[in-house]
Each structure stands twice: as C-alpha cells, then as structure tokens.
C-alpha cells in the first residue's frame, strides 16, 4: 500500500495545452515548416525553390513583417535583401504570397534574447506595387529616416552609410479576398525534431561568424538586413 500512491501518481498522463493559430509561431517553427536549415536565414523576403522544366529556380514564398521595421505597414514594407525574388513590375499584381506578422505584445528585449518572437499567419497577399529606391537618393533618405526613427532603431554612422549605399524596395501588399484565401500553410504544424550535438554546434558557429547579425531575428541581429 505504501508504494501504490507514488506509482499511480507517476502514471498520470500530463495535460497537453491546445495549440491555436492565434498564439502565433516562432521563427524556428516557420523555418522548419518551410524546410529552411536555420531560422536565422529568414528575413523579410523569403524564397522557396521550385523546379521548372527540371531546372531549379527561386521564387518568393513568404513575407515576414517584423515589428518596428515597417512604419508604413499596412500596406507597405521596406526591404533590401533578396530583391531578386520580387516579381517584375509589369506582371503585377503578383500571385498570392503568404505573410506573417510579428505579435507586438511579445516583442520585448527579454523575448528577443530568448528567441521567443511570435508571428501570426496574416493570410495570403498579392504584391500590387513595387518602388525601387536607388542608393543615396532623396527618396531613400526620406524612407530610411521614417524606418529608423525611435529609440528601438538607434543607429551608428557606419550603419547609416551601409543602408544609404544599398538599393531598397518599397512593396505594397494587398490581402487576398476571403473567398480566395487558401489554407494556413503552418497547419498541420510539423513537429520539430530534437537537435543533435553537431546541429547545435553549427548554430553556435553561425551566430559567432555573423556576430549576431543574421537575417530574421531583429532582436539580436542587424535590423537593416531585413
């Protein structure tokens, strides 16, 4: 009898909390769902490989709207990385593309430190307009001033010059009509496999080699790369 109480307690199944899409997804979950090898490779514009006549080509797969990086959102996003993924302006509006938006309430310095940013599935959108801003032009300077204003976006002179010397794009996105929305690509959510020692060492190597400035995690990385 004395041993039965402990035995029955140990055999009780643990309660599982139901996962809802409103709870959002981590960058790691998004990366794993889209078969990316590492969450830090995610940025604003993200590609997927498709095969056309047995030739592998890259196409825009999904967009991540990071908090405090797109002051004109919605509907505009500012970006400079992976611009080659954008469709040609004479083919707009584009085919639907998935959009994720960062949940504001969880965007704290502590959450960034622990890589706990969460993103909502914001549905399918089409690109309706693209405006390219060339390096050091008045329009680019005006856009960067709006993008990097505020205590969360303090920048050094070196960072400003780096941004000014790049080509940027202002992209307008429009939500697809509800009747034409597809299913949430994050459902069913893939179960992330436990990482081995070699994978964890590789993640550490990536972080050290970039100095914490990889795309896709603005809390610990370089926000201009988004």
């Amino acid at each position: 009898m004395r041993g039965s109480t402990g035995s029955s307690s140990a055999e009780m199944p643990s309660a599982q909390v139901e996962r809802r899409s409103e709870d959002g997804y981590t960058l790691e979950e998004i990366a794993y769902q889209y078969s990316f090898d590492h969450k830090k490779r995610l940025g604003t514009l993200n590609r997927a490989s498709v095969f056309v006549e047995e030739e592998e080509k890259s196409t825009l797969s999904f967009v991540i709207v990071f908090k405090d990086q797109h002051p004109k959102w919605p509907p505009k996003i500012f970006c400079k990385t992976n611009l080659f993924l954008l469709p040609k302006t004479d083919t707009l509006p584009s085919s639907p593309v998935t959009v994720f938006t960062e949940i504001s309430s969880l965007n704290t310095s502590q959450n960034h430190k622990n890589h706990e940013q969460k993103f909502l599935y914001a549905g399918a959108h089409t690109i309706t307009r693209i405006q390219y801003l060339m390096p050091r032009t008045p329009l680019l300077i005006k856009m960067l001033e709006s993008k990097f204003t505020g205590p969360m976006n303090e920048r050094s002179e070196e960072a400003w010059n780096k941004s000014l010397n790049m080509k940027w794009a202002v992209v307008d996105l429009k939500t697809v009509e509800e009747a034409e929305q597809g299913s949430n690509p994050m459902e069913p959510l893939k179960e992330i496999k436990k990482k081995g020692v070699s994978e964890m060492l590789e993640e550490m190597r990536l972080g050290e080699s970039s100095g914490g400035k990889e795309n896709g995690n603005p809390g610990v990385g370089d926000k201009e790369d988004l």
Side-chain angles (χ1 to χ4, degrees):
M1 292 294 292
R2 285 181 294 178
S4 61
T5 302
S7 176
S8 60
S9 174
E11 292 173 359
M12 290 180 62
S14 59
Q16 292 186 347
V17 179
E18 182 182 356
R19 180 67 179 271
R20 304 173 303 170
S21 60
E22 307 93 87
D23 297 329
Y25 308 97
T26 65
L27 288 175
E28 184 177 21
E29 288 171 334
I30 295 173
Y32 194 79
Q33 194 80 0
Y34 282 89
S35 301
F36 277 68
D37 59 352
H38 197 279
K39 65 185 177 186
K40 288 189 177 181
R41 299 193 186 282
L42 300 182
T44 299
L45 305 178
N46 299 279
R47 60 182 170 181
S49 295
V50 296
F51 286 88
V52 179
E53 296 181 354
E54 298 184 355
E55 181 180 353
E56 185 177 11
K57 295 185 178 181
S58 294
T59 182
L60 180 62
S61 178
F62 60 97
V63 170
I64 298 180
V65 182
F66 293 92
K67 183 178 179 290
D68 296 326
Q69 299 308 300
H70 307 279
K72 301 298 184 181
W73 172 263
K76 299 179 185 295
I77 59 172
F78 301 151
C79 46
K80 72 173 184 61
T81 304
N82 290 339
L83 297 186
F84 69 93
L85 295 175
L86 293 172
K88 295 181 179 179
T89 54
D90 59 359
T91 64
L92 300 179
S94 70
S95 301
V97 59
T98 297
V99 174
F100 297 98
T101 56
E102 186 170 3
I103 301 175
S104 300
S105 61
L106 296 181
N107 195 359
T108 66
S109 58
Q110 186 63 30
N111 283 334
H112 284 314
K113 181 179 178 181
N114 296 324
H115 312 298
E116 292 178 348
Q117 294 154 287
K118 290 290 187 71
F119 299 81
L120 290 176
Y121 167 62
H125 291 61
T126 56
I127 296 174
T128 58
R129 183 173 182 268
I130 301 173
Q131 179 184 16
Y132 290 102
L133 305 179
M134 304 311 291
R136 295 191 172 275
T137 57
L139 282 176
L140 176 60
I141 294 173
K142 183 178 180 180
M143 184 276 285
L144 291 177
E145 286 177 343
S146 68
K147 177 178 172 67
F148 295 124
T149 298
M152 293 289 292
N153 291 303
E154 295 181 358
R155 305 174 63 70
S156 65
E157 182 178 353
E158 180 183 0
W160 269 108
N161 284 325
K162 182 179 178 181
S163 296
L164 287 169
N165 288 328
M166 300 295 292
K167 177 182 177 180
W168 288 73
V170 181
V171 181
D172 285 46
L173 293 161
K174 181 180 179 181
T175 306
V176 172
E177 295 293 335
E178 185 174 355
E180 299 178 10
Q181 286 282 349
S183 58
N184 182 351
M186 296 298 293
E187 302 296 340
L189 188 64
K190 295 179 182 178
E191 182 180 355
I192 298 178
K193 299 178 181 178
K194 292 183 179 180
K195 299 173 184 176
V197 175
S198 59
E199 291 176 295
M200 290 189 286
L201 289 174
E202 176 65 13
E203 287 192 8
M204 292 174 62
R205 187 192 65 77
L206 284 171
E208 291 173 357
S209 64
S210 63
K213 293 185 178 182
E214 292 280 354
N215 288 358
N217 196 335
V220 296
D222 190 348
K223 296 176 182 179
E224 73 177 313
D225 278 342
L226 303 175

mmCIF file with all atom_site columns, all heavy atoms in Angstrom, residues 3 23 37 53 88 92 96 119 121 135 139 178 180 193 203 206 225-226:
data_model
loop_
_atom_site.group_PDB
_atom_site.id
_atom_site.type_symbol
_atom_site.label_atom_id
_atom_site.label_alt_id
_atom_site.label_comp_id
_atom_site.label_asym_id
_atom_site.label_entity_id
_atom_site.label_seq_id
_atom_site.pdbx_PDB_ins_code
_atom_site.Cartn_x
_atom_site.Cartn_y
_atom_site.Cartn_z
_atom_site.occupancy
_atom_site.B_iso_or_equiv
_atom_site.pdbx_formal_charge
_atom_site.auth_seq_id
_atom_site.auth_comp_id
_atom_site.auth_asym_id
_atom_site.auth_atom_id
_atom_site.pdbx_PDB_model_num
ATOM 1   N N   . GLY A 1 3   ? 3.628   1.816  -1.336  1.00 0.00 ? 3   GLY A N   1
ATOM 2   C CA  . GLY A 1 3   ? 4.236   2.143  -2.627  1.00 0.00 ? 3   GLY A CA  1
ATOM 3   C C   . GLY A 1 3   ? 3.231   2.459  -3.700  1.00 0.00 ? 3   GLY A C   1
ATOM 4   O O   . GLY A 1 3   ? 3.591   2.906  -4.773  1.00 0.00 ? 3   GLY A O   1
ATOM 5   N N   . ASP A 1 23  ? -2.069  31.916 -31.286 1.00 0.00 ? 23  ASP A N   1
ATOM 6   C CA  . ASP A 1 23  ? -0.926  32.002 -30.385 1.00 0.00 ? 23  ASP A CA  1
ATOM 7   C C   . ASP A 1 23  ? 0.346   32.389 -31.126 1.00 0.00 ? 23  ASP A C   1
ATOM 8   O O   . ASP A 1 23  ? 1.334   32.795 -30.519 1.00 0.00 ? 23  ASP A O   1
ATOM 9   C CB  . ASP A 1 23  ? -0.700  30.666 -29.667 1.00 0.00 ? 23  ASP A CB  1
ATOM 10  C CG  . ASP A 1 23  ? -1.867  30.284 -28.775 1.00 0.00 ? 23  ASP A CG  1
ATOM 11  O OD1 . ASP A 1 23  ? -2.525  31.205 -28.241 1.00 0.00 ? 23  ASP A OD1 1
ATOM 12  O OD2 . ASP A 1 23  ? -2.126  29.081 -28.607 1.00 0.00 ? 23  ASP A OD2 1
ATOM 13  N N   . ASP A 1 37  ? 17.105  25.431 -43.292 1.00 0.00 ? 37  ASP A N   1
ATOM 14  C CA  . ASP A 1 37  ? 18.047  24.746 -42.414 1.00 0.00 ? 37  ASP A CA  1
ATOM 15  C C   . ASP A 1 37  ? 18.313  25.499 -41.123 1.00 0.00 ? 37  ASP A C   1
ATOM 16  O O   . ASP A 1 37  ? 18.853  24.952 -40.176 1.00 0.00 ? 37  ASP A O   1
ATOM 17  C CB  . ASP A 1 37  ? 19.371  24.473 -43.141 1.00 0.00 ? 37  ASP A CB  1
ATOM 18  C CG  . ASP A 1 37  ? 20.040  25.750 -43.643 1.00 0.00 ? 37  ASP A CG  1
ATOM 19  O OD1 . ASP A 1 37  ? 19.403  26.822 -43.563 1.00 0.00 ? 37  ASP A OD1 1
ATOM 20  O OD2 . ASP A 1 37  ? 21.175  25.665 -44.105 1.00 0.00 ? 37  ASP A OD2 1
ATOM 21  N N   . GLU A 1 53  ? 10.675  22.826 -65.682 1.00 0.00 ? 53  GLU A N   1
ATOM 22  C CA  . GLU A 1 53  ? 11.322  22.073 -66.750 1.00 0.00 ? 53  GLU A CA  1
ATOM 23  C C   . GLU A 1 53  ? 12.671  21.526 -66.271 1.00 0.00 ? 53  GLU A C   1
ATOM 24  O O   . GLU A 1 53  ? 13.702  21.675 -66.925 1.00 0.00 ? 53  GLU A O   1
ATOM 25  C CB  . GLU A 1 53  ? 11.503  22.949 -67.993 1.00 0.00 ? 53  GLU A CB  1
ATOM 26  C CG  . GLU A 1 53  ? 10.184  23.390 -68.611 1.00 0.00 ? 53  GLU A CG  1
ATOM 27  C CD  . GLU A 1 53  ? 10.383  24.247 -69.851 1.00 0.00 ? 53  GLU A CD  1
ATOM 28  O OE1 . GLU A 1 53  ? 11.553  24.582 -70.145 1.00 0.00 ? 53  GLU A OE1 1
ATOM 29  O OE2 . GLU A 1 53  ? 9.379   24.556 -70.514 1.00 0.00 ? 53  GLU A OE2 1
ATOM 30  N N   . LYS A 1 88  ? 8.475   41.073 -61.584 1.00 0.00 ? 88  LYS A N   1
ATOM 31  C CA  . LYS A 1 88  ? 8.672   42.238 -62.440 1.00 0.00 ? 88  LYS A CA  1
ATOM 32  C C   . LYS A 1 88  ? 7.444   43.147 -62.339 1.00 0.00 ? 88  LYS A C   1
ATOM 33  O O   . LYS A 1 88  ? 6.320   42.680 -62.208 1.00 0.00 ? 88  LYS A O   1
ATOM 34  C CB  . LYS A 1 88  ? 8.884   41.805 -63.891 1.00 0.00 ? 88  LYS A CB  1
ATOM 35  C CG  . LYS A 1 88  ? 10.162  40.997 -64.093 1.00 0.00 ? 88  LYS A CG  1
ATOM 36  C CD  . LYS A 1 88  ? 10.335  40.605 -65.550 1.00 0.00 ? 88  LYS A CD  1
ATOM 37  C CE  . LYS A 1 88  ? 11.619  39.810 -65.749 1.00 0.00 ? 88  LYS A CE  1
ATOM 38  N NZ  . LYS A 1 88  ? 11.801  39.386 -67.159 1.00 0.00 ? 88  LYS A NZ  1
ATOM 39  N N   . LEU A 1 92  ? 2.513   42.767 -62.280 1.00 0.00 ? 92  LEU A N   1
ATOM 40  C CA  . LEU A 1 92  ? 1.677   42.984 -61.094 1.00 0.00 ? 92  LEU A CA  1
ATOM 41  C C   . LEU A 1 92  ? 0.209   43.122 -61.473 1.00 0.00 ? 92  LEU A C   1
ATOM 42  O O   . LEU A 1 92  ? -0.112  43.588 -62.565 1.00 0.00 ? 92  LEU A O   1
ATOM 43  C CB  . LEU A 1 92  ? 2.147   44.243 -60.353 1.00 0.00 ? 92  LEU A CB  1
ATOM 44  C CG  . LEU A 1 92  ? 3.602   44.207 -59.857 1.00 0.00 ? 92  LEU A CG  1
ATOM 45  C CD1 . LEU A 1 92  ? 3.964   45.508 -59.162 1.00 0.00 ? 92  LEU A CD1 1
ATOM 46  C CD2 . LEU A 1 92  ? 3.844   43.024 -58.934 1.00 0.00 ? 92  LEU A CD2 1
ATOM 47  N N   . PRO A 1 96  ? -0.519  35.108 -55.239 1.00 0.00 ? 96  PRO A N   1
ATOM 48  C CA  . PRO A 1 96  ? -0.614  35.215 -53.779 1.00 0.00 ? 96  PRO A CA  1
ATOM 49  C C   . PRO A 1 96  ? 0.654   34.734 -53.082 1.00 0.00 ? 96  PRO A C   1
ATOM 50  O O   . PRO A 1 96  ? 1.282   33.767 -53.500 1.00 0.00 ? 96  PRO A O   1
ATOM 51  C CB  . PRO A 1 96  ? -1.813  34.309 -53.441 1.00 0.00 ? 96  PRO A CB  1
ATOM 52  C CG  . PRO A 1 96  ? -2.635  34.285 -54.685 1.00 0.00 ? 96  PRO A CG  1
ATOM 53  C CD  . PRO A 1 96  ? -1.635  34.317 -55.809 1.00 0.00 ? 96  PRO A CD  1
ATOM 54  N N   . PHE A 1 119 ? 4.873   35.039 -34.410 1.00 0.00 ? 119 PHE A N   1
ATOM 55  C CA  . PHE A 1 119 ? 4.346   35.637 -35.630 1.00 0.00 ? 119 PHE A CA  1
ATOM 56  C C   . PHE A 1 119 ? 2.998   35.010 -35.981 1.00 0.00 ? 119 PHE A C   1
ATOM 57  O O   . PHE A 1 119 ? 2.839   33.787 -35.911 1.00 0.00 ? 119 PHE A O   1
ATOM 58  C CB  . PHE A 1 119 ? 5.330   35.438 -36.784 1.00 0.00 ? 119 PHE A CB  1
ATOM 59  C CG  . PHE A 1 119 ? 6.664   36.077 -36.543 1.00 0.00 ? 119 PHE A CG  1
ATOM 60  C CD1 . PHE A 1 119 ? 7.619   35.450 -35.759 1.00 0.00 ? 119 PHE A CD1 1
ATOM 61  C CD2 . PHE A 1 119 ? 6.952   37.322 -37.068 1.00 0.00 ? 119 PHE A CD2 1
ATOM 62  C CE1 . PHE A 1 119 ? 8.843   36.040 -35.503 1.00 0.00 ? 119 PHE A CE1 1
ATOM 63  C CE2 . PHE A 1 119 ? 8.183   37.926 -36.817 1.00 0.00 ? 119 PHE A CE2 1
ATOM 64  C CZ  . PHE A 1 119 ? 9.128   37.280 -36.038 1.00 0.00 ? 119 PHE A CZ  1
ATOM 65  N N   . TYR A 1 121 ? -0.025  34.143 -38.656 1.00 0.00 ? 121 TYR A N   1
ATOM 66  C CA  . TYR A 1 121 ? -0.290  33.939 -40.076 1.00 0.00 ? 121 TYR A CA  1
ATOM 67  C C   . TYR A 1 121 ? -1.308  34.996 -40.485 1.00 0.00 ? 121 TYR A C   1
ATOM 68  O O   . TYR A 1 121 ? -2.437  35.021 -39.980 1.00 0.00 ? 121 TYR A O   1
ATOM 69  C CB  . TYR A 1 121 ? -0.837  32.528 -40.306 1.00 0.00 ? 121 TYR A CB  1
ATOM 70  C CG  . TYR A 1 121 ? -1.428  32.321 -41.681 1.00 0.00 ? 121 TYR A CG  1
ATOM 71  C CD1 . TYR A 1 121 ? -0.651  32.450 -42.819 1.00 0.00 ? 121 TYR A CD1 1
ATOM 72  C CD2 . TYR A 1 121 ? -2.781  31.993 -41.830 1.00 0.00 ? 121 TYR A CD2 1
ATOM 73  C CE1 . TYR A 1 121 ? -1.187  32.262 -44.084 1.00 0.00 ? 121 TYR A CE1 1
ATOM 74  C CE2 . TYR A 1 121 ? -3.325  31.792 -43.085 1.00 0.00 ? 121 TYR A CE2 1
ATOM 75  C CZ  . TYR A 1 121 ? -2.529  31.934 -44.204 1.00 0.00 ? 121 TYR A CZ  1
ATOM 76  O OH  . TYR A 1 121 ? -3.074  31.746 -45.453 1.00 0.00 ? 121 TYR A OH  1
ATOM 77  N N   . PRO A 1 135 ? 20.525  54.024 -54.285 1.00 0.00 ? 135 PRO A N   1
ATOM 78  C CA  . PRO A 1 135 ? 21.392  54.487 -53.197 1.00 0.00 ? 135 PRO A CA  1
ATOM 79  C C   . PRO A 1 135 ? 21.528  56.009 -53.149 1.00 0.00 ? 135 PRO A C   1
ATOM 80  O O   . PRO A 1 135 ? 21.656  56.671 -54.175 1.00 0.00 ? 135 PRO A O   1
ATOM 81  C CB  . PRO A 1 135 ? 22.738  53.825 -53.519 1.00 0.00 ? 135 PRO A CB  1
ATOM 82  C CG  . PRO A 1 135 ? 22.370  52.604 -54.302 1.00 0.00 ? 135 PRO A CG  1
ATOM 83  C CD  . PRO A 1 135 ? 21.181  53.007 -55.117 1.00 0.00 ? 135 PRO A CD  1
ATOM 84  N N   . LEU A 1 139 ? 14.660  60.209 -51.977 1.00 0.00 ? 139 LEU A N   1
ATOM 85  C CA  . LEU A 1 139 ? 13.560  59.335 -51.582 1.00 0.00 ? 139 LEU A CA  1
ATOM 86  C C   . LEU A 1 139 ? 14.029  58.246 -50.626 1.00 0.00 ? 139 LEU A C   1
ATOM 87  O O   . LEU A 1 139 ? 13.329  57.889 -49.671 1.00 0.00 ? 139 LEU A O   1
ATOM 88  C CB  . LEU A 1 139 ? 12.919  58.702 -52.821 1.00 0.00 ? 139 LEU A CB  1
ATOM 89  C CG  . LEU A 1 139 ? 11.967  59.579 -53.627 1.00 0.00 ? 139 LEU A CG  1
ATOM 90  C CD1 . LEU A 1 139 ? 11.486  58.836 -54.875 1.00 0.00 ? 139 LEU A CD1 1
ATOM 91  C CD2 . LEU A 1 139 ? 10.779  60.013 -52.780 1.00 0.00 ? 139 LEU A CD2 1
ATOM 92  N N   . GLU A 1 178 ? -11.332 36.993 -49.030 1.00 0.00 ? 178 GLU A N   1
ATOM 93  C CA  . GLU A 1 178 ? -11.533 35.836 -48.152 1.00 0.00 ? 178 GLU A CA  1
ATOM 94  C C   . GLU A 1 178 ? -11.916 34.577 -48.918 1.00 0.00 ? 178 GLU A C   1
ATOM 95  O O   . GLU A 1 178 ? -11.461 33.474 -48.604 1.00 0.00 ? 178 GLU A O   1
ATOM 96  C CB  . GLU A 1 178 ? -12.604 36.156 -47.112 1.00 0.00 ? 178 GLU A CB  1
ATOM 97  C CG  . GLU A 1 178 ? -12.789 35.068 -46.076 1.00 0.00 ? 178 GLU A CG  1
ATOM 98  C CD  . GLU A 1 178 ? -13.750 35.463 -44.977 1.00 0.00 ? 178 GLU A CD  1
ATOM 99  O OE1 . GLU A 1 178 ? -14.199 36.627 -44.962 1.00 0.00 ? 178 GLU A OE1 1
ATOM 100 O OE2 . GLU A 1 178 ? -14.057 34.608 -44.123 1.00 0.00 ? 178 GLU A OE2 1
ATOM 101 N N   . GLU A 1 180 ? -10.947 33.655 -51.688 1.00 0.00 ? 180 GLU A N   1
ATOM 102 C CA  . GLU A 1 180 ? -9.820  33.125 -52.447 1.00 0.00 ? 180 GLU A CA  1
ATOM 103 C C   . GLU A 1 180 ? -8.637  32.758 -51.559 1.00 0.00 ? 180 GLU A C   1
ATOM 104 O O   . GLU A 1 180 ? -7.589  32.331 -52.049 1.00 0.00 ? 180 GLU A O   1
ATOM 105 C CB  . GLU A 1 180 ? -9.376  34.160 -53.493 1.00 0.00 ? 180 GLU A CB  1
ATOM 106 C CG  . GLU A 1 180 ? -10.481 34.503 -54.499 1.00 0.00 ? 180 GLU A CG  1
ATOM 107 C CD  . GLU A 1 180 ? -10.035 35.568 -55.492 1.00 0.00 ? 180 GLU A CD  1
ATOM 108 O OE1 . GLU A 1 180 ? -8.832  35.890 -55.507 1.00 0.00 ? 180 GLU A OE1 1
ATOM 109 O OE2 . GLU A 1 180 ? -10.881 36.083 -56.227 1.00 0.00 ? 180 GLU A OE2 1
ATOM 110 N N   . LYS A 1 193 ? 12.108  18.140 -34.707 1.00 0.00 ? 193 LYS A N   1
ATOM 111 C CA  . LYS A 1 193 ? 12.928  17.066 -34.145 1.00 0.00 ? 193 LYS A CA  1
ATOM 112 C C   . LYS A 1 193 ? 13.986  17.640 -33.211 1.00 0.00 ? 193 LYS A C   1
ATOM 113 O O   . LYS A 1 193 ? 14.477  18.755 -33.407 1.00 0.00 ? 193 LYS A O   1
ATOM 114 C CB  . LYS A 1 193 ? 13.604  16.275 -35.269 1.00 0.00 ? 193 LYS A CB  1
ATOM 115 C CG  . LYS A 1 193 ? 12.625  15.594 -36.218 1.00 0.00 ? 193 LYS A CG  1
ATOM 116 C CD  . LYS A 1 193 ? 13.363  14.878 -37.332 1.00 0.00 ? 193 LYS A CD  1
ATOM 117 C CE  . LYS A 1 193 ? 12.398  14.218 -38.297 1.00 0.00 ? 193 LYS A CE  1
ATOM 118 N NZ  . LYS A 1 193 ? 13.116  13.551 -39.415 1.00 0.00 ? 193 LYS A NZ  1
ATOM 119 N N   . GLU A 1 203 ? 24.782  25.878 -35.180 1.00 0.00 ? 203 GLU A N   1
ATOM 120 C CA  . GLU A 1 203 ? 24.061  27.093 -34.843 1.00 0.00 ? 203 GLU A CA  1
ATOM 121 C C   . GLU A 1 203 ? 24.970  28.073 -34.113 1.00 0.00 ? 203 GLU A C   1
ATOM 122 O O   . GLU A 1 203 ? 24.938  29.272 -34.357 1.00 0.00 ? 203 GLU A O   1
ATOM 123 C CB  . GLU A 1 203 ? 22.837  26.769 -33.988 1.00 0.00 ? 203 GLU A CB  1
ATOM 124 C CG  . GLU A 1 203 ? 21.704  26.120 -34.762 1.00 0.00 ? 203 GLU A CG  1
ATOM 125 C CD  . GLU A 1 203 ? 20.421  26.081 -33.954 1.00 0.00 ? 203 GLU A CD  1
ATOM 126 O OE1 . GLU A 1 203 ? 20.393  26.687 -32.862 1.00 0.00 ? 203 GLU A OE1 1
ATOM 127 O OE2 . GLU A 1 203 ? 19.449  25.464 -34.413 1.00 0.00 ? 203 GLU A OE2 1
ATOM 128 N N   . LEU A 1 206 ? 27.304  29.642 -36.652 1.00 0.00 ? 206 LEU A N   1
ATOM 129 C CA  . LEU A 1 206 ? 26.636  30.658 -37.444 1.00 0.00 ? 206 LEU A CA  1
ATOM 130 C C   . LEU A 1 206 ? 26.508  31.965 -36.683 1.00 0.00 ? 206 LEU A C   1
ATOM 131 O O   . LEU A 1 206 ? 26.723  33.045 -37.219 1.00 0.00 ? 206 LEU A O   1
ATOM 132 C CB  . LEU A 1 206 ? 25.243  30.161 -37.866 1.00 0.00 ? 206 LEU A CB  1
ATOM 133 C CG  . LEU A 1 206 ? 25.192  29.144 -39.005 1.00 0.00 ? 206 LEU A CG  1
ATOM 134 C CD1 . LEU A 1 206 ? 23.774  28.597 -39.157 1.00 0.00 ? 206 LEU A CD1 1
ATOM 135 C CD2 . LEU A 1 206 ? 25.647  29.779 -40.310 1.00 0.00 ? 206 LEU A CD2 1
ATOM 136 N N   . ASP A 1 225 ? 19.242  44.441 -42.350 1.00 0.00 ? 225 ASP A N   1
ATOM 137 C CA  . ASP A 1 225 ? 19.304  43.306 -43.260 1.00 0.00 ? 225 ASP A CA  1
ATOM 138 C C   . ASP A 1 225 ? 17.936  42.749 -43.585 1.00 0.00 ? 225 ASP A C   1
ATOM 139 O O   . ASP A 1 225 ? 17.816  41.857 -44.422 1.00 0.00 ? 225 ASP A O   1
ATOM 140 C CB  . ASP A 1 225 ? 20.157  42.194 -42.646 1.00 0.00 ? 225 ASP A CB  1
ATOM 141 C CG  . ASP A 1 225 ? 21.628  42.441 -42.871 1.00 0.00 ? 225 ASP A CG  1
ATOM 142 O OD1 . ASP A 1 225 ? 21.951  43.249 -43.755 1.00 0.00 ? 225 ASP A OD1 1
ATOM 143 O OD2 . ASP A 1 225 ? 22.448  41.852 -42.151 1.00 0.00 ? 225 ASP A OD2 1
ATOM 144 N N   . LEU A 1 226 ? 16.903  43.219 -42.917 1.00 0.00 ? 226 LEU A N   1
ATOM 145 C CA  . LEU A 1 226 ? 15.576  42.684 -43.149 1.00 0.00 ? 226 LEU A CA  1
ATOM 146 C C   . LEU A 1 226 ? 14.948  43.294 -44.380 1.00 0.00 ? 226 LEU A C   1
ATOM 147 O O   . LEU A 1 226 ? 13.968  42.824 -44.868 1.00 0.00 ? 226 LEU A O   1
ATOM 148 C CB  . LEU A 1 226 ? 14.699  42.931 -41.925 1.00 0.00 ? 226 LEU A CB  1
ATOM 149 C CG  . LEU A 1 226 ? 15.279  42.349 -40.629 1.00 0.00 ? 226 LEU A CG  1
ATOM 150 C CD1 . LEU A 1 226 ? 14.419  42.741 -39.465 1.00 0.00 ? 226 LEU A CD1 1
ATOM 151 C CD2 . LEU A 1 226 ? 15.407  40.846 -40.725 1.00 0.00 ? 226 LEU A CD2 1
#
